[in-house]
Amino acid sequence: MERYNKKKIPRATAKRLPLYLRNLTILDAKGVVRIKSKELAEITQVPSATIRRDFSYLGELGRSGYGYDVTFLIKVFSDILDSNETSHMAIVGFGNLGKALANNNFRRNQNLIISCVFDTDPEIIGQTIAGFYVYSMEDFERVTREKNVKVAISTVPSEHAQEAIDTVVNSGITAILNFAPDRVEVPSNINMRYIDLTTELLTLLFFDRNYKDTPLAITS
Amino acid sequence: MERYNKKKIPRATAKRLPLYLRNLTILDAKGVVRIKSKELAEITQVPSATIRRDFSYLGELGRSGYGYDVTFLIKVFSDILDSNETSHMAIVGFGNLGKALANNNFRRNQNLIISCVFDTDPEIIGQTIAGFYVYSMEDFERVTREKNVKVAISTVPSEHAQEAIDTVVNSGITAILNFAPDRVEVPSNINMRYIDLTTELLTLLFFDRNYKDTPLAITS
């Protein structure tokens, strides 16, 4: 979808795209076909004027007063996030979670490819497990360069996460998805996202206990 | 921490707590000790007046013009989200991801307990695997009632997710964490959170490609 000049989108707008996308997919699943900026503002907690301005950067997405077509917005936002370039990824830590990620996920997007997996356990290094040759972390920089890896997904537990992430950072990779909840230190040029399942669960429970009649919208 | 009357927090404020919490933990990891509402507004894209109002509901968290203590905010928000009640959880789908969740996660919070695991595969039903007895989905309602389960974590792939979630919903459980990215239909009283790894990765890549010099803050 080359209609959208991705470079032109202001950074603040870009940061809200995943938030819009998540809430729109929820609305779509509930059968909502059309939504006004005020309604989306209510759900996302983004002011409606900001939503309209954000959407205006993305072209003609809807008509004032009439609302936006939910399916169309989902398609546009998905296309913007998706580069249609193949992205090679490395998994750091090849336990159950690493294997689950390598084998079961990202099927929805054929451009996301797990190209190599790493571990520090001598018992599995050099073995082919679940279809993946397990490399030593000592070979991380060399192998990820050879395979043009742009993203590292770390499943290393918190107590060893800093060491693993340091190796990733030193290899020159700047995009990291980290499944360990405790914070690790990285240089300011690194893009890191945490998948913090404990906070996700506590948030879910918090809403389930306190807001029984008004279920959670996905705003975080 | 019973100083905070959780019931009193407006729902819109409550919805922003996880967003604040995530960004504050990132700031803390970067060594930021103190933050002003304007700075936090820049990062979270929540207007600073809204931030100050939100924080005012939570008691004396900081002084105007002086800023907020990051560590203290993290403690307060974590305590609000955490009920200090034990919550029993069920895992639906006991493949690699289910095993990873059962064995490796939630260690950070001793109140979150995986009490039972379920699958539909006759080869593993009735077996004890990785320390967990695997129940049949046919026994879901009975077993989760006996064990007072309040949350279901579904690792069932998209093609079977609707069926699995239907069984969860019919059992009376209203809080669901779903690892399948495709949307499933649930009644409006259900609190469901999706962990959508594909969207997380696409967002990470999008920022890594387009905003190299200004890394991603965790706003979604």
Side-chain angles (χ1 to χ4, degrees), chain B residues 1-2 5 14 25 32 39 48 53 66 75 77 82 92 124 148 156 162-163 168 179 185 196:
Chain B
M1 259 209 174
E2 291 310 308
N5 185 339
T25 47
V32 177
E39 298 163 331
S48 57
R53 196 180 60 234
Y66 181 67
K75 174 153 176 46
F77 294 167
D82 194 351
V92 181
I124 66 168
N148 194 28
V156 176
Q162 183 71 58
E163 192 184 341
V168 172
F179 280 85
E185 290 191 34
D196 182 345

mmCIF file of all heavy atoms in Angstrom, chain B residues 1-2 5 14 25 32 39 48 53 66 75 77 82 92 124 148 156 162-163 168 179 185 196:
data_model
loop_
_atom_site.group_PDB
_atom_site.id
_atom_site.type_symbol
_atom_site.label_atom_id
_atom_site.label_comp_id
_atom_site.label_asym_id
_atom_site.label_seq_id
_atom_site.Cartn_x
_atom_site.Cartn_y
_atom_site.Cartn_z
ATOM 1 N N MET B 1 -1.689 -2.299 50.581
ATOM 2 C CA MET B 1 -1.744 -0.836 50.644
ATOM 3 C C MET B 1 -3.179 -0.373 50.654
ATOM 4 O O MET B 1 -3.790 -0.149 49.611
ATOM 5 C CB MET B 1 -1.048 -0.255 49.398
ATOM 6 C CG MET B 1 0.344 0.215 49.672
ATOM 7 S SD MET B 1 0.749 1.533 48.553
ATOM 8 C CE MET B 1 2.337 2.023 49.180
ATOM 9 N N GLU B 2 -3.723 -0.217 51.818
ATOM 10 C CA GLU B 2 -5.146 0.078 51.904
ATOM 11 C C GLU B 2 -5.437 1.568 51.977
ATOM 12 O O GLU B 2 -6.539 1.979 52.233
ATOM 13 C CB GLU B 2 -5.770 -0.680 53.085
ATOM 14 C CG GLU B 2 -5.821 -2.187 52.847
ATOM 15 C CD GLU B 2 -6.427 -2.533 51.489
ATOM 16 O OE1 GLU B 2 -7.526 -2.057 51.169
ATOM 17 O OE2 GLU B 2 -5.774 -3.276 50.736
ATOM 18 N N ASN B 5 -8.491 3.851 48.074
ATOM 19 C CA ASN B 5 -9.773 3.208 47.877
ATOM 20 C C ASN B 5 -9.925 2.926 46.394
ATOM 21 O O ASN B 5 -10.263 3.788 45.604
ATOM 22 C CB ASN B 5 -10.878 4.120 48.387
ATOM 23 C CG ASN B 5 -12.219 3.427 48.315
ATOM 24 O OD1 ASN B 5 -12.379 2.468 47.550
ATOM 25 N ND2 ASN B 5 -13.162 3.865 49.108
ATOM 26 N N ALA B 14 -8.410 4.531 35.909
ATOM 27 C CA ALA B 14 -7.946 3.154 36.099
ATOM 28 C C ALA B 14 -7.388 2.583 34.804
ATOM 29 O O ALA B 14 -6.375 1.869 34.798
ATOM 30 C CB ALA B 14 -9.092 2.280 36.602
ATOM 31 N N THR B 25 8.268 2.358 34.564
ATOM 32 C CA THR B 25 9.291 1.322 34.783
ATOM 33 C C THR B 25 10.411 1.452 33.756
ATOM 34 O O THR B 25 11.572 1.204 34.067
ATOM 35 C CB THR B 25 8.680 -0.094 34.729
ATOM 36 O OG1 THR B 25 7.837 -0.200 33.598
ATOM 37 C CG2 THR B 25 7.866 -0.385 35.965
ATOM 38 N N VAL B 32 15.953 7.485 35.480
ATOM 39 C CA VAL B 32 15.201 8.720 35.758
ATOM 40 C C VAL B 32 14.587 8.624 37.157
ATOM 41 O O VAL B 32 13.894 7.655 37.469
ATOM 42 C CB VAL B 32 14.086 8.932 34.699
ATOM 43 C CG1 VAL B 32 13.252 10.166 35.032
ATOM 44 C CG2 VAL B 32 14.703 9.047 33.315
ATOM 45 N N GLU B 39 6.518 16.139 31.193
ATOM 46 C CA GLU B 39 7.427 15.161 30.579
ATOM 47 C C GLU B 39 6.720 13.817 30.385
ATOM 48 O O GLU B 39 6.844 13.171 29.340
ATOM 49 C CB GLU B 39 8.672 14.973 31.464
ATOM 50 C CG GLU B 39 9.496 16.243 31.627
ATOM 51 C CD GLU B 39 10.467 16.179 32.804
ATOM 52 O OE1 GLU B 39 10.170 15.467 33.803
ATOM 53 O OE2 GLU B 39 11.521 16.835 32.714
ATOM 54 N N SER B 48 -1.106 16.588 30.035
ATOM 55 C CA SER B 48 -0.537 16.716 31.376
ATOM 56 C C SER B 48 -1.607 17.066 32.414
ATOM 57 O O SER B 48 -1.517 16.648 33.564
ATOM 58 C CB SER B 48 0.600 17.744 31.390
ATOM 59 O OG SER B 48 0.126 18.980 30.931
ATOM 60 N N ARG B 53 -4.687 15.235 37.125
ATOM 61 C CA ARG B 53 -5.980 14.895 37.714
ATOM 62 C C ARG B 53 -6.008 13.417 38.121
ATOM 63 O O ARG B 53 -6.442 13.054 39.208
ATOM 64 C CB ARG B 53 -7.115 15.202 36.724
ATOM 65 C CG ARG B 53 -8.492 15.240 37.378
ATOM 66 C CD ARG B 53 -9.590 15.538 36.380
ATOM 67 N NE ARG B 53 -9.630 14.526 35.330
ATOM 68 C CZ ARG B 53 -9.576 14.788 34.021
ATOM 69 N NH1 ARG B 53 -9.493 16.029 33.594
ATOM 70 N NH2 ARG B 53 -9.623 13.803 33.146
ATOM 71 N N TYR B 66 7.505 20.493 41.048
ATOM 72 C CA TYR B 66 8.675 19.774 41.542
ATOM 73 C C TYR B 66 8.784 18.406 40.874
ATOM 74 O O TYR B 66 9.867 17.867 40.672
ATOM 75 C CB TYR B 66 8.532 19.622 43.055
ATOM 76 C CG TYR B 66 9.667 18.913 43.737
ATOM 77 C CD1 TYR B 66 10.935 19.489 43.805
ATOM 78 C CD2 TYR B 66 9.467 17.658 44.329
ATOM 79 C CE1 TYR B 66 11.972 18.835 44.445
ATOM 80 C CE2 TYR B 66 10.503 17.008 44.968
ATOM 81 C CZ TYR B 66 11.757 17.600 45.027
ATOM 82 O OH TYR B 66 12.781 16.956 45.655
ATOM 83 N N LYS B 75 5.644 2.087 42.783
ATOM 84 C CA LYS B 75 5.180 1.294 43.927
ATOM 85 C C LYS B 75 3.677 1.475 44.126
ATOM 86 O O LYS B 75 2.935 0.506 44.308
ATOM 87 C CB LYS B 75 5.954 1.697 45.186
ATOM 88 C CG LYS B 75 5.429 1.011 46.428
ATOM 89 C CD LYS B 75 6.444 0.838 47.521
ATOM 90 C CE LYS B 75 5.786 0.218 48.766
ATOM 91 N NZ LYS B 75 4.916 -0.919 48.440
ATOM 92 N N PHE B 77 1.340 2.483 41.947
ATOM 93 C CA PHE B 77 0.535 1.927 40.857
ATOM 94 C C PHE B 77 0.562 0.397 40.881
ATOM 95 O O PHE B 77 -0.449 -0.256 40.605
ATOM 96 C CB PHE B 77 1.027 2.449 39.502
ATOM 97 C CG PHE B 77 0.811 3.923 39.328
ATOM 98 C CD1 PHE B 77 1.435 4.614 38.298
ATOM 99 C CD2 PHE B 77 -0.019 4.633 40.177
ATOM 100 C CE1 PHE B 77 1.236 5.969 38.132
ATOM 101 C CE2 PHE B 77 -0.218 5.999 40.023
ATOM 102 C CZ PHE B 77 0.421 6.661 38.995
ATOM 103 N N ASP B 82 -2.336 -4.607 42.110
ATOM 104 C CA ASP B 82 -2.208 -5.891 42.788
ATOM 105 C C ASP B 82 -3.181 -5.955 43.957
ATOM 106 O O ASP B 82 -3.183 -5.107 44.819
ATOM 107 C CB ASP B 82 -0.768 -6.033 43.304
ATOM 108 C CG ASP B 82 -0.468 -7.463 43.722
ATOM 109 O OD1 ASP B 82 -1.392 -8.286 43.771
ATOM 110 O OD2 ASP B 82 0.702 -7.738 43.994
ATOM 111 N N VAL B 92 -5.470 -22.968 29.023
ATOM 112 C CA VAL B 92 -6.200 -23.731 28.012
ATOM 113 C C VAL B 92 -5.267 -23.927 26.825
ATOM 114 O O VAL B 92 -4.886 -22.953 26.165
ATOM 115 C CB VAL B 92 -7.483 -22.984 27.593
ATOM 116 C CG1 VAL B 92 -8.256 -23.795 26.569
ATOM 117 C CG2 VAL B 92 -8.340 -22.669 28.810
ATOM 118 N N ILE B 124 -2.348 -36.519 25.587
ATOM 119 C CA ILE B 124 -1.778 -35.932 26.810
ATOM 120 C C ILE B 124 -2.800 -35.773 27.941
ATOM 121 O O ILE B 124 -2.425 -35.602 29.093
ATOM 122 C CB ILE B 124 -1.067 -34.571 26.537
ATOM 123 C CG1 ILE B 124 -2.050 -33.489 26.092
ATOM 124 C CG2 ILE B 124 0.043 -34.723 25.506
ATOM 125 C CD1 ILE B 124 -1.419 -32.079 26.092
ATOM 126 N N ASN B 148 -11.840 -22.777 42.003
ATOM 127 C CA ASN B 148 -12.112 -21.346 42.149
ATOM 128 C C ASN B 148 -11.284 -20.501 41.165
ATOM 129 O O ASN B 148 -10.744 -19.453 41.518
ATOM 130 C CB ASN B 148 -11.833 -20.908 43.591
ATOM 131 C CG ASN B 148 -12.411 -19.527 43.888
ATOM 132 O OD1 ASN B 148 -13.400 -19.117 43.270
ATOM 133 N ND2 ASN B 148 -11.779 -18.799 44.800
ATOM 134 N N VAL B 156 -4.595 -21.523 22.732
ATOM 135 C CA VAL B 156 -5.146 -22.302 21.624
ATOM 136 C C VAL B 156 -4.984 -21.516 20.313
ATOM 137 O O VAL B 156 -5.319 -20.331 20.273
ATOM 138 C CB VAL B 156 -6.638 -22.615 21.892
ATOM 139 C CG1 VAL B 156 -7.272 -23.341 20.726
ATOM 140 C CG2 VAL B 156 -6.788 -23.422 23.185
ATOM 141 N N GLN B 162 -12.049 -19.968 19.042
ATOM 142 C CA GLN B 162 -13.444 -19.640 19.358
ATOM 143 C C GLN B 162 -14.101 -20.742 20.191
ATOM 144 O O GLN B 162 -14.783 -20.469 21.186
ATOM 145 C CB GLN B 162 -14.238 -19.405 18.064
ATOM 146 C CG GLN B 162 -15.698 -18.994 18.283
ATOM 147 C CD GLN B 162 -15.831 -17.575 18.822
ATOM 148 O OE1 GLN B 162 -15.372 -16.618 18.219
ATOM 149 N NE2 GLN B 162 -16.453 -17.432 19.996
ATOM 150 N N GLU B 163 -13.860 -21.970 19.788
ATOM 151 C CA GLU B 163 -14.440 -23.114 20.502
ATOM 152 C C GLU B 163 -13.931 -23.155 21.949
ATOM 153 O O GLU B 163 -14.708 -23.351 22.897
ATOM 154 C CB GLU B 163 -14.042 -24.400 19.755
ATOM 155 C CG GLU B 163 -14.800 -25.618 20.207
ATOM 156 C CD GLU B 163 -14.280 -26.869 19.499
ATOM 157 O OE1 GLU B 163 -13.608 -26.748 18.440
ATOM 158 O OE2 GLU B 163 -14.530 -27.975 20.027
ATOM 159 N N VAL B 168 -14.817 -21.607 27.922
ATOM 160 C CA VAL B 168 -14.438 -20.760 29.061
ATOM 161 C C VAL B 168 -15.602 -19.868 29.472
ATOM 162 O O VAL B 168 -15.969 -19.786 30.650
ATOM 163 C CB VAL B 168 -13.198 -19.898 28.712
ATOM 164 C CG1 VAL B 168 -12.932 -18.872 29.809
ATOM 165 C CG2 VAL B 168 -11.972 -20.783 28.491
ATOM 166 N N PHE B 179 -3.878 -15.565 23.618
ATOM 167 C CA PHE B 179 -2.653 -15.459 22.819
ATOM 168 C C PHE B 179 -2.891 -15.678 21.327
ATOM 169 O O PHE B 179 -1.942 -15.612 20.557
ATOM 170 C CB PHE B 179 -1.601 -16.455 23.312
ATOM 171 C CG PHE B 179 -0.871 -15.989 24.535
ATOM 172 C CD1 PHE B 179 -1.383 -16.204 25.793
ATOM 173 C CD2 PHE B 179 0.329 -15.314 24.410
ATOM 174 C CE1 PHE B 179 -0.708 -15.766 26.927
ATOM 175 C CE2 PHE B 179 1.016 -14.871 25.528
ATOM 176 C CZ PHE B 179 0.495 -15.103 26.790
ATOM 177 N N GLU B 185 -15.489 -14.006 19.235
ATOM 178 C CA GLU B 185 -16.664 -13.301 19.737
ATOM 179 C C GLU B 185 -16.968 -13.744 21.161
ATOM 180 O O GLU B 185 -16.989 -14.941 21.455
ATOM 181 C CB GLU B 185 -17.858 -13.579 18.827
ATOM 182 C CG GLU B 185 -17.680 -12.902 17.475
ATOM 183 C CD GLU B 185 -18.954 -12.933 16.648
ATOM 184 O OE1 GLU B 185 -20.051 -12.857 17.233
ATOM 185 O OE2 GLU B 185 -18.825 -13.050 15.416
ATOM 186 N N ASP B 196 -0.956 -9.906 21.308
ATOM 187 C CA ASP B 196 -0.840 -10.062 19.863
ATOM 188 C C ASP B 196 0.624 -9.837 19.481
ATOM 189 O O ASP B 196 1.064 -8.719 19.240
ATOM 190 C CB ASP B 196 -1.761 -9.064 19.176
ATOM 191 C CG ASP B 196 -1.724 -9.206 17.671
ATOM 192 O OD1 ASP B 196 -0.809 -9.863 17.139
ATOM 193 O OD2 ASP B 196 -2.610 -8.636 17.019
#
